Amino acid sequence: MFNLDLSAVGLSSLLFSQTGLALLSLLLTLCSYFAAKRLYQRHKVWWLAPIVFAPVVITLLVFNLDIPLPTYFEYTHWLMAMLAPATIAFALPIYRERQLIRQYPLTLTLGVVAGLFLGMISSWLLVKWVPLPAELSRSLLVRSVSTPFAMEATGAFGGVPELTAMMVLITGIIGMLVCEPLFKLMHIRTSLGKGVALGASAHGAGAAKASELGQQEGVIASLTMIFIGIAMVLGAPVFAVIFS
């Protein structure tokens, strides 16, 4: 009985230590994601999409359990580090769909250029019109490209990678939610138009939504998202001077 009590005390101490909370944060993050993925496969409603459901659940748990953000990121930052090799994997769809690139070079180019500059200009105008903390303002400028590219490029603007990732997430969710009403309003019916619009404005979440609309929409959205991300990373030092 005495040994059992000591074990219970030891387990409790570990759970509420910094290390224990950090491990718990990692476990909660993974469980929330996989639960959301399973639920969304069964019930195709927008609020069960992993990009919506998992962050909400994780945020509620972190605040209710009073887990400090540095403690939360102690182990979960490895999940974000996995985005770097994922970026290299983007070369695969470019190679597979090279015929599509040859078929629509002008449309894809215009979509990339428009998405890149409209995303930065809209963010710059928002920063100018709405008083925001300096770190948040700088982190906001690259919100319209996919997370791994945005986190790489935000350093040139003086942004904080974690804040940038949050802004990218919010942008993607909004784009995913409003795309279909906007397509109807603007009479956008072609696979090419829908794919380019979603890839340029809502990056990863947009590409996922485009894949639900159709295979070609998903491929075009992915290509647009990839090219915009590459252009942002390569041009970040110049863009930082222009929009500073």
Side-chain angles (χ1 to χ4, degrees):
M1 184 69 176
F2 180 71
N3 290 334
L4 182 63
D5 289 342
L6 283 180
S7 300
V9 170
L11 181 61
S12 177
S13 299
L14 174 63
L15 182 62
F16 291 101
S17 68
Q18 291 293 103
T19 302
L21 287 175
L23 288 170
L24 179 63
S25 299
L26 178 61
L27 180 63
L28 291 174
T29 300
L30 292 173
C31 289
S32 299
Y33 170 75
F34 285 110
K37 190 174 181 181
R38 181 65 62 86
L39 287 169
Y40 190 64
Q41 287 173 345
R42 294 183 179 180
H43 311 285
K44 294 286 185 177
V45 291
W46 67 266
W47 51 271
L48 285 178
I51 197 172
V52 178
F53 185 80
V56 171
V57 172
I58 293 166
T59 301
L60 290 174
L61 289 172
V62 167
F63 275 100
N64 280 288
L65 293 174
D66 199 23
I67 300 175
L69 284 181
T71 302
Y72 174 81
F73 284 114
E74 184 173 346
Y75 292 123
T76 57
H77 79 277
W78 292 111
L79 299 176
M80 300 183 70
M82 291 172 68
L83 290 171
T87 306
I88 300 172
F90 283 150
L92 187 60
I94 294 176
Y95 175 76
R96 283 178 174 172
E97 305 302 332
R98 58 193 183 280
Q99 185 59 42
L100 194 62
I101 298 171
R102 295 192 192 103
Q103 189 176 355
Y104 302 110
L106 181 60
T107 304
L108 287 171
T109 301
L110 290 175
V112 168
V113 173
L116 181 64
F117 283 99
L118 287 176
M120 283 191 292
I121 291 170
S122 62
S123 299
W124 181 77
L125 290 174
L126 178 63
V127 167
K128 290 296 180 182
W129 290 342
V130 180
L132 296 172
E135 285 188 340
L136 182 57
S137 298
R138 292 192 292 267
S139 302
L140 190 66
L141 290 169
V142 294
R143 66 180 173 80
S144 290
V145 299
S146 186
T147 306
F149 298 110
M151 293 183 69
E152 181 67 29
T154 195
F157 294 84
V160 179
E162 289 79 12
L163 284 176
T164 296
M166 189 182 301
M167 295 299 104
V168 170
L169 176 66
I170 294 171
T171 301
I173 291 172
I174 293 173
M176 182 181 68
L177 295 179
V178 305
C179 65
E180 291 189 274
L182 282 178
F183 289 156
K184 291 179 182 178
L185 180 65
M186 304 301 294
H187 304 289
I188 299 174
R189 300 185 179 90
T190 65
S191 302
L192 192 61
K194 291 178 179 179
V196 169
L198 282 166
S201 61
H203 34 79
K209 181 63 179 180
S211 298
E212 291 182 10
L213 299 178
Q215 182 178 358
Q216 191 174 42
E217 287 91 334
V219 169
I220 293 169
S222 297
L223 289 174
T224 306
M225 174 191 71
I226 292 165
F227 287 132
I228 288 179
I230 294 171
M232 173 61 82
V233 171
L234 294 177
V238 177
F239 301 145
V241 173
I242 295 172
F243 291 97
S244 62

